[in-house]
Amino acid sequence: DMKPEVMTHPLTNAEGFILPTSFYHHNHTEMENFLKSIAATYPSITRLYSVGKSVEGRQLYVIEITDNPGHHEPGEPEVKYVGNMHGNEVVGREVLLLLIKFLCENYGTNDTVSRIVNSTRIHIMPSMNPDGYVRAKVGDEDGVIGRENAHGIDLNRNFPDQYQQTK
Ligand SMILES: *[C@@H]1O[C@H](CO)[C@@H](O)[C@H](O)[C@H]1NC(C)=O
Ligand SMILES: *[C@@H]1O[C@H](CO)[C@@H](O)[C@H](O)[C@H]1NC(C)=O
Ligand SMILES: *[C@@H]1O[C@H](CO)[C@@H](O)[C@H](O)[C@H]1NC(C)=O
C-alpha cells in the first residue's frame, strides 16, 4: 500500500500552511478583518491599501506583499492578482485570501516563498466587485445576479479594447 510522498516542511500541514486554516467564504467584513489582521501580523512584508471605494462605498482593498512594502525598487518586477471581478464568481476571492496567508506564513521558513517575496512586489486584490458579491445568491450556479457592479457594468468586459467599444 503505497502512499504518494508529499514533500512538506516539518512546520507545514498537507496544504502548506503553518497556522490553522479554515476554508470558508468570507463576507466583506470578514475579508476586511482578515486583511487587517494579516497586515498587523506581518508588518515587515505587507502593506494594506485601498484603491478607492466601490459604488456602494466598500473599500477596494489591495494588499502588497514584498520585502520592502510601499517602495518601488528599480528592477524588481511587480505583479498583481485581481479576483472576484464578477461579484458572483467567488472562488478566486478565497483562493487569493489563501495565497496571502500562505505567502506571509511561509516567509522566512520556505526558501521558495522567501525568494519570491524578496524579489517581487506582489499586489493582491481579492475582490474588485464587493457590491456584486453582496448581491450574488448562494447556490445560484448559472445565474448572473451579482456579476456586474452596482452601475450595471461588467468589470471584466470594461478594459480598453482595441477593436470594439466596451460598455
Ligand atoms: C515551499 O513551498 C512550495 C510551494 O508551495 C512547495 O512546493 C515546497 O514543497 C515548499 N518547500 C518546503 C521545504 O516545504
Ligand atoms: C459577515 O459574517 C459575520 C461573521 O460570520 C456576521 O456576523 C455578519 O453578520 C456577516 N455580515 C453580513 C453583512 O452578512
Ligand atoms: C530574504 O530577505 C531577508 C532580509 O533581507 C534575508 O534575511 C533572507 O535571507 C532572504 N531570503 C532568501 C531566501 O533570499
Side-chain angles (χ1 to χ4, degrees):
D1 116 277
M2 302 263 293
K3 287 204 178 119
E5 219 172 293
V6 184
M7 291 286 293
T8 51
H9 188 276
L11 286 176
T12 62
N13 65 17
E15 283 99 21
F17 295 100
I18 293 175
L19 300 173
T21 305
S22 312
F23 299 87
Y24 69 101
H25 291 279
H26 295 70
N27 68 28
H28 188 74
T29 309
E30 291 168 315
M31 179 177 72
E32 187 168 53
N33 291 340
F34 175 94
L35 293 170
K36 286 182 175 170
S37 153
I38 289 274
T41 308
Y42 305 97
S44 62
I45 53 161
T46 61
R47 180 177 65 103
L48 181 61
Y49 64 98
S50 168
V51 294
K53 284 187 174 169
S54 67
V55 178
E56 293 176 349
R58 296 183 177 90
Q59 294 289 357
L60 297 168
Y61 287 113
V62 179
I63 192 162
E64 176 186 347
I65 304 176
T66 186
D67 63 340
N68 198 3
H71 299 279
H72 170 70
E73 298 186 73
E76 184 174 80
E78 304 207 19
V79 296
K80 69 176 175 209
Y81 290 107
V82 177
N84 198 209
M85 269 186 215
H86 288 152
N88 64 338
E89 293 171 18
V90 297
V91 175
R93 165 173 170 139
E94 299 306 323
V95 168
L96 289 178
L97 294 180
L98 291 167
L99 177 63
I100 291 164
K101 185 173 187 291
F102 173 80
L103 290 173
C104 291
E105 278 179 18
N106 280 279
Y107 181 74
T109 298
N110 179 308
D111 271 357
T112 308
V113 171
S114 304
R115 253 187 292 115
I116 290 170
V117 172
N118 279 359
S119 63
T120 320
R121 195 175 178 199
I122 306 162
H123 303 263
I124 301 178
M125 178 188 244
S127 178
M128 190 174 162
N129 188 358
D131 298 348
Y133 182 90
V134 168
R135 281 190 176 69
K137 299 276 176 263
V138 174
D140 176 16
E141 291 171 18
D142 309 314
V144 291
I145 297 167
R147 178 184 167 97
E148 299 174 338
N149 79 352
H151 281 324
I153 300 293
D154 185 330
L155 300 178
N156 194 45
R157 299 285 184 279
N158 198 43
F159 288 92
D161 189 306
Q162 186 175 355
Y163 303 107
Q164 326 178 17
Q165 200 162 3
T166 46
K167 193 167 142 192

